[in-house]
Amino acid sequence: MSRIPQNFIDDLVARADIVEVIGSRVPLKKKGREYAACCPFHHEKSPSFFVSPDKQFYHCFGCGAHGTALGFLMAFERLDFVEAVETLAGQMGLEVPREGGDAPTESPHAPLFAVLEDCARFYQAQLRRTPVAIDYLKRRGVSGDTAATFGLGHAPAGFDTLLTALHADSTTVDQLKRAGMLSEGERGGLYDRFRERIMFPIRDRRGRVIAFGGRVLGDEKPKYLNSPETPLFHKGHELYGLYEARKALGRPDRLIVVEGYMDVVMLAQHGLREAVATLGTAVTREQVDLMFRHTAQVVFCFDGDEAGRRAAWRALESTLPQLRDGLDARFMFLPDGEDPDSLVRKEGAEAFRARISRDALSFDAFLLGELAKQAQDDGSPASRARLKSLALPMIQGMPNGVLKDLVLDALAGRVGVPVDRLRDEPRGAGEARRAPATVAPANTEAGRSTVLRQAILLLLHHPELAGLRPCPPEWAESPVPGLPLLSQLLHLLSARPVSMGVILERFRDSPHAQALDALTRLRPPRDSEDEAIRVPMWHAMLEHISDMHNRKRLHDLTNRPLSELQATERSELIRLQNLRLTKGRK
């Protein structure tokens, strides 16, 4: 399969005018050497979104969104990487080459998309000629326009209706199997997975059908049946109704998260087009991330029974680590015996909206309220201490910012301790696990790792520094965390200094991508804009890093039996010991 040459991607990012790319979608105003706007990825009243033409990079100081022109297209228009490259190249009048041939090749998943579209059309046609299915939707209150908007259909009885309708040859049969539309019997025979069900096509961000959900017309079990996991469909990463919500509203002010397909359909029919549904799973972090890419507020709507509250708690656990400044999550619990479908039909849209405004709990109120029950908080010192020990680790998992500080303030007021004491309490082991693997956490050899991070950060902002001195070859395999990344950057930039945007795209699929992504959020070392200071600072950093590497390597070699060392390693050990003696004399 052909691929886009890396040199073309490098040149594309280097030649692209990121100000023009973003400015055609977001109104930018010049501020000094950069351009500013209100961030398109979260709601704000004053601009914190900045675009740097020199670095070919954007960054929001409010929500942390950042990246290159390609990254912006992927986030803003929800494109995958190849689609973003093709879009950017098209704007610049360039044709995207492919290694192994100049012509673009068809996506390997194109046949699966095509066969699923064929299935959707077949089900829609079947609905129109199946009175019992039409009567069912009418009884549920679904209008013809709503059914058309969501592409509702009907899977007829029979075990081979798809095979017959699509005139399936061996290739089509294989595609139907891979797309999750056929099941295999105990004796090896194939049959239609969906039979005698109202069909709900699940669409991706581009409106392509990637899976289906089916509901029986009566009370048979299982009531709902979803497509299995396929190359196109990963249920923990998708949301039913998101494509339709975006198509109707663009970027909605909020998303209402419900549990059922019919909940989404009926809320939309009553004018609440911002409803989406999970797909039979607990809310995942991937789904939360997907929601917050499209809105700043998420309202989780669950049943008020014990099962509903458990589901809400799991949603909170997936949401807290992503609740940065500018974002909000709320939790609404429905009256007994009601779901969003029945409630909106009974009360109407305005009453449903009023219910959200009146009854939806803020995430911190839900968090502290539920934990207070677990801690059996009766106001005693012991129960308040239990509440603190339960709540603090969860709050510490939130991104740093004003929102996190306010929740800490609320906890401090609840348990009656100074908030500074909560802020100073050490975090658990979970933080170390979340640290990028290629750069040592700040609390490990703090001084040394800081120098290494600062050196990489300085190089990202001033790539011309790479040409000032050669990179020692042994750094490429150094045991010092982060040093192999610095080595790769030095080799790349010494040959051709390029902007931060090009660097990030070059490392997009590298094991170091996460570490680089984290570093781009930091400011460069103080005074580094002054060349008279920057160059000596750079040389001093490299000397310090060289000492780090030598000490670490000497330690590793010294702690191995001499008999196990190869000849080259023995020579290296002698060299490092002599170097240490020389430095000691100085």
Side-chain angles (χ1 to χ4, degrees):
M1 184 174 64
S2 65
R3 59 185 296 273
I4 303 173
Q6 183 63 52
N7 287 341
F8 177 81
I9 296 171
D10 290 349
D11 290 339
L12 181 69
V13 176
R15 293 170 59 183
D17 184 347
I18 193 171
V19 174
E20 181 180 338
V21 172
I22 296 179
S24 64
R25 295 162 173 84
V26 178
L28 297 175
K29 291 186 179 180
K30 190 166 177 43
K31 279 197 172 184
R33 296 166 60 181
E34 297 182 329
Y35 291 78
C38 287
C39 180
F41 303 115
H42 80 286
H43 292 284
E44 59 181 7
K45 294 182 180 179
S46 57
S48 61
F49 180 87
F50 288 83
V51 181
S52 170
D54 295 335
K55 299 181 177 68
Q56 288 293 296
F57 190 75
Y58 72 88
H59 182 81
C60 176
F61 292 96
C63 70
H66 63 286
T68 66
L70 287 176
F72 179 84
L73 290 174
M74 293 170 70
F76 188 81
E77 299 190 358
R78 298 296 292 162
L79 305 176
D80 62 30
F81 180 72
V82 173
E83 291 167 343
V85 170
E86 291 172 343
T87 298
L88 185 57
Q91 291 179 358
M92 298 171 64
L94 301 174
E95 184 175 347
V96 180
R98 258 68 173 188
E99 292 176 340
D102 293 331
T105 59
E106 186 181 60
S107 165
H109 297 319
L112 299 187
F113 284 119
V115 79
L116 286 171
E117 288 291 347
D118 289 342
C119 292
R121 284 192 290 268
F122 170 70
Y123 292 141
Q124 291 161 19
Q126 288 297 307
L127 175 63
R128 291 191 292 270
R129 61 176 68 122
T130 309
V132 65
I134 294 174
D135 289 343
Y136 170 82
L137 291 176
K138 285 182 177 179
R139 289 197 307 272
R140 297 293 301 264
V142 180
S143 69
D145 287 343
T146 299
T149 296
F150 286 89
L152 304 189
H154 178 253
F159 289 83
D160 61 354
T161 55
L162 279 179
L163 297 175
T164 303
L166 302 184
H167 307 290
D169 56 16
S170 60
T171 300
T172 305
V173 169
D174 180 64
Q175 292 165 355
L176 288 168
K177 285 174 58 180
R178 293 180 62 219
M181 301 307 295
L182 299 178
S183 297
E184 190 168 352
E186 294 180 1
R187 299 182 180 179
L190 295 173
Y191 60 91
D192 289 3
R193 179 179 178 85
F194 298 99
R195 303 179 305 281
E196 296 186 88
R197 292 176 181 270
I198 297 295
M199 299 299 290
F200 299 82
I202 301 166
R203 296 179 170 124
D204 68 4
R205 63 186 179 276
R206 297 171 64 184
R208 299 174 297 186
V209 178
I210 57 174
F212 288 92
R215 192 208 189 279
V216 295
L217 301 180
D219 296 324
E220 299 90 340
K221 302 296 182 182
K223 182 183 293 187
Y224 283 97
L225 181 66
N226 291 331
S227 292
E229 297 277 314
T230 72
L232 301 182
F233 178 56
H234 304 284
K235 60 185 178 181
H237 294 197
E238 304 292 342
L239 293 164
Y240 176 72
L242 182 60
Y243 168 76
E244 289 80 5
R246 290 183 61 232
K247 187 176 180 181
L249 302 174
R251 179 179 172 85
D253 292 334
R254 69 181 175 195
L255 287 174
I256 304 172
V257 184
V258 295
E259 295 185 275
Y261 299 110
M262 284 299 299
D263 294 326
V264 172
V265 170
M266 291 310 298
L267 287 173
Q269 181 166 302
H270 283 78
L272 292 156
R273 302 301 303 270
E274 64 267 35
V276 298
T278 55
L279 298 162
T281 67
V283 176
T284 66
R285 289 195 181 190
E286 290 79 10
Q287 288 171 328
V288 173
D289 176 67
L290 185 59
M291 292 181 231
F292 281 136
R293 287 174 181 264
H294 292 92
T295 190
Q297 185 183 73
V298 174
V299 178
F300 293 99
C301 187
F302 291 101
D303 293 343
D305 58 14
E306 185 178 347
R309 299 192 83 88
R310 284 199 304 268
W313 185 258
R314 289 193 293 269
L316 178 67
E317 290 177 321
S318 295
T319 303
L320 277 179
Q322 304 186 60
L323 270 179
R324 57 186 183 270
D325 291 354
L327 303 182
D328 186 26
R330 296 180 175 270
F331 294 81
M332 184 173 80
F333 297 96
L334 301 177
D336 290 344
E338 300 285 2
D339 56 32
D341 171 13
S342 63
L343 201 58
V344 76
R345 283 193 286 160
K346 182 185 297 184
E347 295 184 347
E350 290 309 312
F352 196 92
R353 290 192 180 97
R355 183 180 288 276
I356 292 175
S357 299
R358 182 184 68 247
D359 297 342
L361 296 172
S362 64
F363 75 91
D364 56 306
F366 178 54
L367 169 72
L368 297 179
E370 291 296 303
L371 292 180
K373 294 176 186 177
Q374 291 184 37
Q376 299 179 332
D377 183 16
D378 57 6
S380 67
S383 65
R384 286 184 290 162
R386 286 195 298 269
L387 174 59
K388 189 273 296 182
S389 65
L390 290 171
L392 187 58
M394 297 187 69
I395 298 171
Q396 286 177 325
M398 294 176 61
N400 290 331
V402 174
L403 184 61
K404 178 179 179 179
D405 289 342
L406 292 174
V407 181
L408 282 172
D409 287 342
L411 176 61
R414 187 75 176 256
V415 300
V417 300
V419 69
D420 288 343
R421 181 172 178 178
L422 297 181
R423 291 196 181 99
D424 293 340
E425 185 160 325
R427 293 189 56 161
E431 183 177 24
R433 286 195 299 270
R434 285 190 295 271
T438 48
V439 176
N443 62 351
T444 303
E445 297 187 359
R448 297 180 182 182
S449 61
T450 298
V451 172
L452 186 51
R453 286 199 302 272
Q454 290 294 305
I456 296 174
L457 189 58
L458 186 61
L459 190 60
L460 290 175
H461 286 269
H462 300 282
E464 71 281 357
L465 293 172
L468 295 183
R469 59 192 290 175
C471 175
E474 59 269 19
W475 285 9
E477 303 294 333
S478 175
V480 177
L483 192 47
L485 169 57
L486 177 61
S487 174
Q488 288 188 35
L489 288 170
L490 288 169
H491 281 96
L492 170 67
L493 298 174
S494 61
R496 179 192 175 197
V498 293
S499 68
M500 185 189 297
V502 174
I503 295 170
L504 287 182
E505 292 303 337
R506 173 62 71 91
F507 281 82
R508 175 177 291 276
D509 296 322
S510 162
H512 302 298
Q514 184 183 7
L516 277 177
D517 184 71
L519 287 168
T520 58
R521 306 183 190 200
L522 305 177
R523 295 186 182 277
R526 189 169 53 185
D527 299 329
S528 62
E529 289 302 314
D530 186 342
E531 185 176 5
I533 297 175
R534 180 170 66 247
V535 173
M537 179 190 298
W538 173 247
H539 287 297
M541 285 179 172
L542 293 190
E543 287 295 329
H544 188 93
I545 291 167
S546 181
D547 288 343
M548 286 168 52
H549 167 78
N550 290 339
R551 284 195 297 269
K552 176 62 175 171
R553 185 63 176 156
L554 178 60
H555 176 271
D556 292 347
L557 292 174
T558 303
N559 282 277
R560 288 172 55 189
L562 192 62
S563 60
E564 292 183 3
L565 298 181
Q566 299 178 5
T568 54
E569 291 175 324
R570 293 179 183 179
S571 299
E572 184 182 5
L573 176 59
I574 294 170
R575 179 181 65 81
L576 291 173
Q577 289 173 332
N578 290 335
L579 182 63
R580 184 180 64 177
L581 291 172
T582 302
K583 285 185 173 290
R585 295 191 189 100
K586 292 180 179 179

